[in-house]
Amino acid sequence: MPGAEKDQVYRAMQLADRVSVNLEAPNTERLAKLAPHKIFIEELLQPLKWVEEIRRTVPAHKFWNGRWPSTVTQFVAGGSDESDLELLTITDWLNKNVRLKRAYFSAFHPIRDTPLENKAAVDPMREHRLYQASFLLRDYGFDLEDLPFTTSSNLPLHADPKQAWAQMYLADKPVEINKADKQELIRIPGIGLKGADAIMSARRINQLRDLYSLKKLGVIAERAAPYLLFNGHRAAIQMKLL
């Protein structure tokens, strides 16, 4: 709960495999608009810091099932007129500083008889784009500077952020599928973490020569095609084979 004491956090960590404090907003200024009775740093952010401090100082075997519990949090997207950049900046900080397992995003929608009942609902696609971007930061080696923010510091709703990045940086400089390392592979649309591992394993045996061979590895080949080279040549796209 907001305002929990450190000993209470420690006890919760002994009893659960995951603990959570919902930050709701990305900073003190935004939280004041959304929930003015809550204190961002002392009540909400501090318990997440304590969890990481305890994980660093107390052996894992002293917790439930012999493991440190993970941490998560949640934000209301659009509830305090914050930008996507603000939400993802705090998410990135949490990933790096308190080993946040996952950030959850909930698109704002007004509730009758509350102070924000007349505020417009947020497009659910914004929530979806925030999830996609947060995974790029957490799992795919992307930095905030890599994300395709608009001039209003928001993600475009019409485009997957990974696809938008690739269109800017890979469309004219496609990646050689038989030479790229894992970090290069996972930045290609249609190739996830498992797909990149599968590609690297397969090419130890034989070179990959076409999109069909990628599809057999679980890659969404038609999405990856515009950003790939096979031994120096662009992929020949034949959708009927995919």
Side-chain angles (χ1 to χ4, degrees), residues 191-203:
I191 301 179
L193 298 172
K194 292 182 179 179
D197 287 337
I199 288 170
M200 296 183 74
S201 295
R203 71 189 191 191

Side-chain angles (χ1 to χ4, degrees), residues 175-187:
V175 175
E176 175 54 65
I177 194 69
N178 287 301
K179 295 181 180 179
D181 62 27
K182 185 173 182 178
Q183 287 303 310
E184 292 174 309
L185 291 172
I186 61 177
R187 286 186 172 233

Side-chain angles (χ1 to χ4, degrees), residues 27-41:
N27 51 53
T28 297
E29 177 186 353
R30 298 301 186 181
L31 185 66
K33 295 182 178 181
L34 187 65
H37 58 288
K38 295 182 178 179
I39 304 174
F40 184 78
I41 295 177

Side-chain angles (χ1 to χ4, degrees), residues 78-92:
S80 58
D81 300 319
E82 78 293 328
S83 67
D84 291 342
L85 176 58
E86 288 177 273
L87 289 170
L88 292 168
T89 295
I90 184 63
T91 298
D92 191 46

